[in-house]
Amino acid sequence: MQIEHLLQLAADQLGVPVESITMESRWKEDLGADSASIMLMIMDMEDATGVTFDDEAITGMQTVGDAVAYLEAHMA
Amino acid sequence: MRIILDATGGDTPDVNLKGAIDALLAYEDITVVLAGPQDQLLDAINQMEATTRDRIGKRMEVLDAPEIITTDEHPVMALRQRPRSPFVLAANQLRNHEADAFVSAGSTGAFMASGLFYARCVPGVARPALGAMIPVPGRPLLLVDSGANVDCKPEWLHQFALMGSIYMKEVQQVSAPQVGLLNIGVEEVKGNELTQAVYKLLREEKQIVFAGNIEARDAIAGSCDVLVADGFAGNILIKNIEGTTSVLFGLIKKGLMSSLAGKIGALLCRGAFRNIKRSFDSSEVGGAPLLGVGGVMIKAHGNADAKTITSAIRQARTMVTADVVGKIRAGTAHEA
């Protein structure tokens, strides 16, 4: 799974241009996500990668980089 | 037509089977899929009268959903931890077009979350909204949103208006539903930033008949057919109506029963009181549709009886037959 594909999933779910997303982007403050859209995006990423985020990872996830790092660490 | 019924939902889950049987006997074009622990459901079905079983035939099925979610749990986490609950299994079947509708009297939070996260919204709809039929005598009112979205954007309320109007046309047969916006004054400039922005969107929307701002006191006086609100204000309104009605009826009863003259008066008026009570009878209404998701979803009240469950299944059948989901998809397509 390419990082570009994950960023595209996030862009589609949040309705923002993929070019505006960086690893440092904060989901809520920078990308305008609410808790529901973050969860939808997480579930899309889970479907795409087969990785399941645990509850602690979800609640602690602040930036795009947090999500990508979690996926990279747990993908086979 | 396949309608999944949460057989574990509500305060008295036994009413679900009874309600399903009555619906199957009334409508021969539906199959009801009971979702819950398979062994328990099969036992209950085996105890049905043989004549009833014969009439229903193979139109009652069981979907094994042994994991239960209760009303006191965090809905989203509970859904993720229990993927074999009726909510997740049913919503997934809606998303995969393996079923047409889902009816539940269980946890409202889990119901709404399963619609948003598993059934998913139709393209163009940002968030699903919970519609609540308020049995206003002579002119039933659909309040949308009644609690699914406490923080809303103006475009979402615009979509709630479109979806509510489609529902009233297709299910309640109101030819040109008047759509009002819940606000604290009738003038365009009244309200907060959200309602002022929504007012402008609804005024320009050609697919609806916009009736302007509606104040809460006029909401149940027959001012419109669809009342649009964010889920926070909508939920406060509906709970206020429920509470006020309950207190008012209690006061009338107490007043009448406090004297012999009152009791005689109550006896003379009992026909009128019965008619008033019937006009507010929610068991005829069925449940609250979750509008905007990729399948028909009906939330029945937690204290639903068998008659309410039957009505909710009938309501789901009407929505599927009228293709409400397809019409919402078409009505919001320009926003996809």
Side-chain angles (χ1 to χ4, degrees):
Chain A
M1 176 62 58
Q2 301 275 327
I3 288 178
E4 289 76 18
H5 182 57
L6 295 174
L7 297 184
Q8 189 61 55
L9 284 176
D12 292 345
Q13 190 55 251
L14 303 178
V16 299
V18 70
E19 300 79 25
S20 68
I21 303 178
T22 68
M23 289 297 153
E24 291 73 38
S25 299
R26 294 168 298 173
W27 295 113
K28 292 187 177 176
E29 295 84 349
D30 300 327
L31 300 174
D34 60 12
S35 52
S37 54
I38 291 173
M39 185 55 73
L40 284 164
M41 187 197 56
I42 285 172
M43 293 174 77
D44 284 347
M45 289 181 173
E46 289 179 336
D47 287 344
T49 62
V51 173
T52 302
F53 284 81
D54 63 37
D55 294 352
E56 282 181 21
I58 293 171
T59 51
M61 202 171 69
Q62 303 292 322
T63 67
V64 174
D66 292 340
V68 170
Y70 187 91
L71 290 170
E72 286 182 335
H74 292 81
M75 275 195 285
Chain B
M1 183 188 306
R2 287 169 62 81
I3 299 173
I4 301 177
L5 174 65
D6 175 5
T8 67
D11 303 338
T12 48
D14 291 351
V15 303
N16 292 301
L17 180 60
K18 173 77 171 68
I21 291 169
D22 290 346
L24 284 164
L25 294 175
Y27 307 109
E28 294 189 349
D29 58 347
I30 63 170
T31 293
V32 174
V33 183
L34 299 172
Q38 182 170 258
D39 293 347
Q40 291 175 28
L41 291 174
L42 289 175
D43 279 349
I45 290 170
N46 286 333
Q47 288 172 22
M48 278 166 48
E49 287 180 17
T51 51
T52 306
R53 263 208 309 269
D54 289 345
R55 286 184 64 191
I56 290 172
K58 294 180 177 174
R59 293 186 297 117
M60 180 179 275
E61 298 177 9
V62 171
L63 173 63
D64 189 23
E67 297 180 324
I68 306 301
I69 293 175
T70 56
T71 54
D72 55 354
E73 297 180 85
H74 186 286
V76 179
M77 293 307 169
L79 290 173
R80 287 175 62 80
Q81 288 158 4
R82 264 156 281 167
R84 295 181 69 209
S85 65
F87 297 102
V88 176
L89 293 175
N92 277 334
Q93 288 214 2
L94 292 181
R95 189 177 184 182
N96 297 328
H97 308 292
E98 295 163 346
D100 300 291
F102 175 46
V103 175
S104 175
S107 160
T108 304
F111 176 83
M112 293 188 298
S114 68
L116 174 61
F117 297 119
Y118 293 89
R120 296 289 179 104
C121 291
V122 299
V125 172
R127 290 288 185 275
L130 195 64
M133 287 303 303
I134 299 173
V136 177
R139 193 176 188 183
L141 172 69
L142 180 74
L143 171 66
V144 56
D145 180 15
S146 63
N149 306 278
V150 291
D151 295 306
C152 289
K153 297 177 181 176
E155 312 85 68
W156 299 3
L157 269 74
H158 176 216
Q159 293 180 345
F160 299 169
L162 289 168
M163 297 192 297
S165 184
I166 289 167
Y167 180 87
M168 290 304 279
K169 270 186 210 167
E170 302 299 333
V171 179
Q172 296 290 326
Q173 278 79 49
V174 180
S175 58
Q178 292 207 306
V179 180
L181 174 64
L182 181 64
N183 208 335
I184 57 168
V186 295
E187 300 85 359
E188 181 178 350
V189 294
K190 286 289 177 66
N192 55 16
E193 286 183 12
L194 176 67
T195 56
Q196 289 177 19
V198 176
Y199 189 101
K200 291 186 177 74
L201 291 172
L202 297 187
R203 188 184 55 196
E204 302 301 322
E205 177 55 63
K206 299 289 186 281
Q207 296 186 74
I208 63 166
V209 180
F210 184 42
N213 287 326
I214 304 286
E215 293 187 83
R217 67 182 171 202
D218 297 322
I220 60 166
S223 304
C224 59
D225 304 292
V226 178
L227 186 63
V228 175
D230 64 82
F232 187 80
N235 194 267
I236 289 173
L237 176 68
I238 199 163
K239 298 278 172 61
N240 185 277
I241 292 170
E242 286 173 1
T244 304
T245 308
S246 174
V247 169
L248 198 56
F249 276 113
L251 285 173
I252 292 170
K253 189 175 178 184
K254 190 177 174 187
L256 287 172
M257 292 300 146
S258 64
S259 68
L260 180 62
K263 286 176 184 169
I264 293 169
L267 198 63
L268 293 171
C269 294
R270 89 185 147 170
F273 285 133
R274 198 179 296 130
N275 286 339
I276 293 170
K277 193 178 176 193
R278 195 177 294 141
S279 68
F280 283 99
D281 184 2
S282 62
S283 68
E284 291 285 351
V285 174
L290 188 67
L291 300 170
V293 289
V296 169
M297 293 183 68
I298 304 289
K299 173 68 182 73
H301 203 287
N303 65 8
D305 57 12
K307 184 181 171 190
T308 307
I309 296 298
T310 304
S311 296
I313 293 171
R314 182 191 65 218
Q315 185 184 6
R317 174 180 175 269
T318 304
M319 287 181 70
V320 173
T321 304
D323 189 23
V324 170
V325 173
K327 282 167 182 150
I328 287 174
R329 186 182 293 117
T332 56
H334 61 286
E335 305 192 20

